[in-house]
Amino acid sequence: MQLVTDTIAWLLDPANWGGNQGIVTRLLEHAVFSGISIAIAMAIAVPAGIWIGHTGRFAALGTNVANLGRALPSLAIIGLVLPITAAIDPQLGFKVYPTLVAMVVLAVPPILVNCQAGIAGVDRDLVEAARAMGMTERQIVRGIELPLAMAPILAGLRSASVQVIATATLGAFFGGGGLGRFLVEGIAQRDDGMTFGGVVLVAALALTVEGAFIVLQRVIRSPGLARMEGARAAAGAA
Amino acid sequence: MIEVSWALDHLDDLAFRVAQHIELAAIPVMIGFAISLALAIWAVRRPVVRGPIVSASGVLYTIPSAALFAALLPVTGIEIQTAVIPLTLYTLLIYLRNMLAGLDGVAPEVIEAADAMGYGRWQRLLRVELPLALPLIVGGVRLASVSTIGLVTVSGILGDRFGGLGFFIFEGYRHNFGIEIAFGAVPTILLALAVDLVLQRLQGRLTPWAPRTVRAIDPGRADPGRAVAGGAA
């Protein structure tokens, strides 16, 4: 019970929310840092995944990248990148870059594989029909494959985001900012209220982002696809 | 060469941390397997509990590992269960999705045939359903093992008593000593790859009848077969 009251007291104390080491600042650091990583990873993985999925070339490469991503623990990436970035930039190389590199490296495989699998999983008959109708490859990708593959692509972004938020938390143990700082300081100072408060905030952020993606997966759908499934459901009900 | 002599001086430490790493990974992989198998069988028998079980394990899987270790620290203290419980919880979603997919994949005709032959519920489960689900179950063990080996390093945030090879990564960072970081990071990756390879072989041995295309379900990856239906991950 002591733990619960300590945690509530810590979370409710306005002094913990403001300032340049407060909850609001740490939350923004965490979100901005994660957003930048996802944006960089998307810039790499989305075009590559679409290209591999559409052309079917280097399909094994995509799968292997994903398998390698799983065997590379985030902590090992942070550790291995750290001496390199620290040598290049003694200031930020110690604090920001190792975690940023790890976040991007870990976000690329899920985005890439889901993009590739989603595009490649689109019914080939549809693609052939589109081609026969005279659509260009670019039109096929934009008009047919991307809308139909939207669900797996979003699923990839979702698991990449969860992964990135977890890695950003870990980054705090290597001099980075973000909500993980409360875990670092709470553990070091044996302040259970702060530690557990940090846990609540980190878990809430991860679950909120996951929940937002679940909503997004329902909302972002091709109107044609929604109509088609609506019609199918109506036919099924009749 | 201070690096080489440092590494040679710390081979004992390396052996200790490798053993600790394997211990901290093996216990959750085994306990998680037992819990998940029981939950999967329960979920198949009672479809009502299936949704809540899968959702709950999904929520746990979403919580960042550093946070889950830290959450237990005030509760269980610096004891082995503080490292083992979160690691076990992370295996649940991986196991459950593969076990359920494996059990779902058993054709209804096969189940009817088993019933017609007079198998009881448990006998049918043990002799028919579980053997047919085995390729995916073993695939789940493989994924859970590799993922747990990676996560063991994070338990180093609990202090020097834990972390397995991750200890060297945290310690090396504190000492600003790149070789010590690599001393932890490189063997971790090698251990994960080695275990993946061994379990891949074992998968082939245990289920020689299964096509090589049987792929375990990775919670971080969409299922290409269901991509168009929009029910991915």
Side-chain angles (χ1 to χ4, degrees), chain A residues 108-121:
Chain A
V108 164
I111 300 176
L112 179 70
V113 167
N114 284 285
C115 232
Q116 175 191 341
I119 299 273

Side-chain angles (χ1 to χ4, degrees), chain A residues 6-18:
Chain A
D6 281 356
T7 306
I8 293 171
W10 186 83
L11 282 172
L12 290 182
D13 187 351
N16 292 328
W17 285 80

Side-chain angles (χ1 to χ4, degrees), chain A residues 67 70 79 94 114 121 174 196 199, chain B residues 71 173 176 181 218 221-222 228:
Chain A
N67 285 340
R70 172 159 287 282
F94 257 107
N114 284 285
F174 296 86
F196 218 81
V199 169
Chain B
Y173 173 72
N176 186 12
I181 297 177
D218 183 339
R221 191 185 298 175
V228 181

Side-chain angles (χ1 to χ4, degrees), chain A residues 63 67 70-73 75-76 79-80 82 94 113-114 121-122 151-152 158-159 162 166 170 173-175 192 195-196 199 202 206 210, chain B residues 59 62 64 67 70-71 73-75 143 147 150 153-154 157 170 173 176 181 185 188-189 192-193 215 218 220-222 227-228 230 233:
Chain A
T63 325
N67 285 340
R70 172 159 287 282
L72 279 179
L75 202 66
L80 288 177
L82 204 136
F94 257 107
V113 167
N114 284 285
V122 171
R158 175 177 151 192
S159 63
V162 171
L170 211 47
F173 289 84
F174 296 86
D192 288 351
T195 307
F196 218 81
V199 169
V202 169
E210 170 110 337
Chain B
V59 166
T62 304
L73 195 58
V75 184
L143 270 185
S147 133
T153 54
V154 181
I157 68 163
F170 286 104
Y173 173 72
N176 186 12
I181 297 177
T188 305
I189 295 169
L193 291 175
R215 261 239 161 76
D218 183 339
R221 191 185 298 175
V228 181

Side-chain angles (χ1 to χ4, degrees), chain B residues 10 63 78 95 185:
Chain B
H10 289 78
I63 297 173
I78 303 180
Y95 278 135

Side-chain angles (χ1 to χ4, degrees), chain A residues 89-171:
Chain A
D89 180 348
Q91 274 298 311
L92 290 176
F94 257 107
K95 297 186 163 163
V96 179
Y97 294 143
T99 313
L100 192 66
V101 171
M103 287 160 82
V104 173
V105 167
L106 289 169
V108 164
I111 300 176
L112 179 70
V113 167
N114 284 285
C115 232
Q116 175 191 341
I119 299 273
V122 171
D123 192 345
R124 285 299 105 187
D125 289 347
L126 287 177
V127 177
E128 289 306 314
R131 213 165 266 147
M133 283 167 67
M135 286 172 86
T136 64
E137 296 305 305
R138 184 173 290 267
Q139 284 172 327
I140 292 173
V141 170
R142 286 210 180 162
I144 310 252
E145 291 180 328
L146 270 181
L148 286 172
M150 203 40 88
I153 290 173
L154 284 174
L157 279 176
R158 175 177 151 192
S159 63
S161 303
V162 171
Q163 176 83 269
V164 155
I165 289 171
T167 308
T169 313
L170 211 47

Side-chain angles (χ1 to χ4, degrees), chain A residues 47 66 228:
Chain A
M228 199 175 76

